Amino acid sequence: MTKPIAVKFKNVSFSYKNENEGNPTINNISFEIEQGEYVCIVGGNGSGKSTISKLIVGLLKPHSGSIFINDKILNTNNLTFVRENVGIIFQNPDNQFIGLTSENDIAFGLENKQIDASYMREIIKVVAKIVNIEDLLKKDASKLSGGQKQKVAIASILATNPKVIIFDESTSMLDPTSKIELKKLILFLKSKLNKTIISITHDVEEIINADKVMVINNGSIEKYDKPETIFNDENFLRKNKLDAPYVVQLSRQLNKTIGINVTLNQAEMIKNICKYEKNK
């Protein structure tokens, strides 16, 4: 059974400069993301990754082509619908922290939607529990770490219950522990809450868990496929200056020395090593 399409780009182009000056930032791209999919968008600096996220949420307007969110075309007439169905988490959580406390910040979006105060308190409790910040609700924003602020930003988005959540380089300013926690949270949002996740990222270790990977180069889609297909193509990785995750690099070396299969799955790699040792 075909899943509904959450996000669709049809021949979309965009440029920050005059349309007739040089190459556009986004050059006639088309793609679809199904509801409940987890898609990572990767590419070098200036490739157009973050521009795609801003086009999806309506912060930028395409010069040509069409964007659809849940089968509705994105235009000025239904921008409110789009904003209600798509949430975005930016790289720097300070850029979207509004309230004096975590609780105030989560409540801000709900107040704009004129949610009843008693119902609002219940929503805040639920999303705080999901992202594990129940102990931070009354805490002053200035006392929060970067990772804690990022969790509050996610809770603020979850409170408005969008179907699509975009993480725009959201792990780049976090410490290793916070990165791991955020990756686990992303998987929870996809698997348990059926959110469509779009992650703009440089973190190849995150990409392992994605359903699909979109590789952007100079505003064009070089490849849009499953992670294993992307990372098994060494020539493609070199051409696009992409690193393979550690488990792929290690299993590739072991493939050359003891013949085990190249894999993205660490548990599978360990199992294959044990099998090799047993059969020696």
Side-chain angles (χ1 to χ4, degrees):
M1 185 175 177
T2 305
K3 291 183 179 180
I5 302 300
V7 177
K8 179 179 179 179
F9 273 41
K10 185 176 181 181
N11 305 120
V12 173
S13 293
F14 173 84
S15 178
Y16 289 99
K17 299 179 181 179
N18 187 294
E19 291 181 69
N20 298 317
E21 292 181 11
N23 296 323
T25 307
I26 297 297
N27 188 14
N28 194 38
I29 67 170
S30 299
F31 65 85
E32 294 180 353
I33 298 175
E34 294 179 350
Q35 180 64 43
E37 259 190 325
Y38 175 14
V39 173
C40 284
I41 303 179
V42 300
N45 292 330
S47 61
K49 305 185 303 299
S50 289
T51 300
I52 290 174
S53 69
K54 292 177 176 65
L55 285 165
I56 293 173
V57 297
L59 292 175
L60 299 175
K61 182 180 178 181
H63 291 163
S64 61
S66 302
I67 299 172
F68 300 85
I69 307 296
N70 296 329
D71 289 331
K72 285 186 179 287
I73 191 166
L74 198 164
N75 56 35
T76 53
N77 294 327
N78 61 20
L79 196 55
T80 299
F81 167 83
V82 170
R83 297 269 170 84
E84 287 177 348
N85 282 274
V86 182
I88 185 167
I89 315 295
F90 292 107
Q91 179 179 16
N92 188 344
D94 285 325
N95 292 341
Q96 59 190 110
F97 211 107
I98 297 169
L100 294 175
T101 66
S102 302
E103 187 174 39
N104 294 152
D105 198 71
I106 299 169
F108 181 79
L110 298 173
E111 289 170 345
N112 285 340
K113 294 180 73 173
Q114 298 181 325
I115 302 297
D116 181 80
S118 59
Y119 186 40
M120 190 188 303
R121 284 191 289 272
E122 289 305 311
I123 293 174
I124 292 171
K125 286 180 182 178
V126 170
V127 297
K129 186 174 182 178
I130 289 173
V131 298
N132 194 26
I133 58 165
E134 294 165 287
D135 59 328
L136 302 178
L137 288 177
K138 303 295 184 182
K139 201 166 183 178
D140 192 302
S142 63
K143 305 289 177 60
L144 300 178
S145 68
Q148 289 171 333
K149 287 180 180 178
Q150 198 68 285
K151 286 182 178 181
V152 174
I154 295 168
S156 300
I157 295 298
L158 284 179
T160 61
N161 198 29
K163 293 182 179 179
V164 180
I165 302 178
I166 302 171
F167 292 84
D168 193 350
E169 302 280 10
S170 299
T171 63
S172 62
M173 298 181 68
L174 302 182
D175 60 76
T177 300
S178 296
K179 283 184 180 182
I180 292 170
E181 290 177 348
L182 181 55
K183 290 173 192 176
K184 288 180 179 178
L185 179 57
I186 287 174
L187 290 176
F188 175 85
L189 298 178
K190 168 193 154 48
S191 61
K192 301 300 183 182
L193 301 186
N194 195 37
K195 301 296 183 184
T196 303
I197 304 294
I198 302 172
S199 180
I200 317 295
T201 184
H202 285 292
D203 187 347
V204 293
E205 302 300 331
E206 177 189 346
I207 297 167
I208 292 175
N209 298 313
D211 296 310
K212 288 181 183 175
V213 182
M214 186 185 300
V215 181
I216 304 291
N217 188 22
N218 292 325
S220 297
I221 299 175
E222 292 289 318
K223 191 172 281 193
Y224 183 34
D225 215 324
K226 294 180 180 180
E228 52 265 34
T229 303
I230 301 289
F231 290 123
N232 281 337
D233 190 339
E234 292 186 70
N235 291 330
F236 178 79
L237 294 177
R238 279 194 294 269
K239 177 186 173 185
N240 288 276
K241 299 178 181 178
L242 294 173
D243 293 324
Y246 177 73
V247 65
V248 174
Q249 296 182 43
L250 180 56
S251 64
R252 189 171 286 148
Q253 289 297 318
L254 293 171
N255 173 262
K256 293 174 182 177
T257 55
I258 62 176
I260 71 167
N261 293 333
V262 178
T263 180
L264 279 173
N265 189 306
Q266 182 175 325
E268 181 184 338
M269 182 184 69
I270 294 171
K271 181 179 177 181
N272 290 338
I273 293 171
C274 293
K275 185 177 180 181
Y276 169 81
E277 289 294 325
K278 184 177 179 180
N279 295 333
K280 273 203 312 183

